Amino acid sequence: MYHLSASLLLAACLLAQPAPAAEPVTSGAGIDYQPAVIRSSDDDARIVVFERLDPATFAGDLWLTRSPDAGASWSAPVPIIASALNERHPALLQLGPAQYVLFYLKGATAQSSFRLWRATSGDGIAWTEQAQLDLGWSTGGEVNPHVIAQADGTLTLSYQRLGGGSYLAQSSDGGASWDTQRTLIAAGSQLPRIAWRERDGLYLASYQVGSSALQLYVKTSHDPRDWSAPARGFALTGNHHDSLPAVLADGAFALFWIRQVGNGFDLAVRRSPDGVDWDDAIAITQSPDADDVEPHPLVGASPREVELYWGRSQGGNDYDIVRLARAPVLADVIFADPFESD
């Protein structure tokens, strides 16, 4: 009698299971986009700040929703940074007990007016806008902030200069002031995001290059002021956007991004021990009837999965924020995705 091996039996069982359904975080009319998510150390609530765009103008305000029960239910979203100007691309952090900080771009319709701003909160609910960030530029054009906190309290900011490239700055006072060295990560690039691994001080930066069909590249450095090492191609065949790196519980890097499949985009992830050699891609969504964009992970104690939040449209521009409570970042070779990633 023929017997399947244990690994093949496991494979057959897993492949027979339907992919987990994305859970709604927001709903209704409007364009809900670009979630930034943390788990509060004060009360264990999930806090999501996202941009809500006006469908007529695509100008944005920043809104917030909270979940006190690990994502089972969410509060009605409320605006926290909203004005006649365009506020988009939130980066949310908790720096300590009752100490929350939010970074975002703000400006009028002219792109040269865009600057990066900061807001603070003592409870993660009510927010007060602070001063515009001085990053050493005499003219505007800073967009797409991404901010990480390091073990010694240093904040590291990656951002894009329109028409210029990707840059880095650091702060030692919770983001109130920043260095003005204008450290270049990569010229002619867009949407830079950065991660930092505490155990060896290694930085990983990812960014996109191109116009209609984009490619993704990565760089690593132990010195945040020196990004002179050659870039490495991460996803070069096809159309790839919205990369975001993170450090997993076991110290490995994971890089999330979206790639075009047909007329829409799906989410994928690759894992690496060093930011140089990457595992095969894992397809997180395979949704021909949906458009999935801007994945943002919430890393926990597991090296195999994360909570993942992103924007999803079932057609047109009606995007909502959704989540997967257990998105895979590590899989057996038999489940590797055959999509060519580099």
Side-chain angles (χ1 to χ4, degrees), residues 29-152:
I31 305 173
D32 294 347
Y33 215 67
Q34 187 73 37
V37 57
I38 63 171
R39 181 170 47 242
S40 171
S41 64
D42 296 328
D43 59 5
D44 203 40
R46 271 67 167 170
I47 304 175
V48 174
V49 175
F50 61 95
E51 59 183 47
R52 176 166 286 180
L53 308 185
D54 183 334
T57 65
F58 292 98
D61 295 317
L62 302 184
W63 290 62
L64 180 146
T65 181
R66 292 169 53 94
S67 173
D69 49 16
S73 64
W74 294 87
S75 65
V78 294
I80 57 170
I81 304 291
S83 74
L85 297 178
N86 191 8
E87 291 115 350
R88 297 188 62 176
H89 207 286
L92 176 65
L93 296 172
Q94 183 178 9
L95 304 182
Q99 187 180 4
Y100 302 86
V101 64
L102 179 67
F103 301 92
Y104 48 96
L105 71 85
K106 179 177 180 177
T109 54
Q111 293 185 341
S112 61
S113 71
F114 291 148
R115 294 287 198 176
L116 303 186
W117 287 72
R118 169 177 166 263
T120 58
S121 173
D123 57 10
I125 299 173
W127 293 82
T128 302
E129 188 170 72
Q130 306 295 336
Q132 170 187 301
L133 306 191
D134 177 8
L135 299 172
W137 301 96
S138 60
T139 60
E142 298 102 67
V143 296
N144 298 338
H146 181 68
V147 186
I148 58 172
Q150 299 177 200
D152 64 356

Side-chain angles (χ1 to χ4, degrees), residues 42 84 93 111 115 138 145 162 179 196 212 216 232 245 257 296:
D42 296 328
L93 296 172
Q111 293 185 341
R115 294 287 198 176
S138 60
L162 293 171
D179 75 72
W196 177 77
S212 56
L216 298 181
R232 296 182 176 90
W257 84 101
H296 281 61

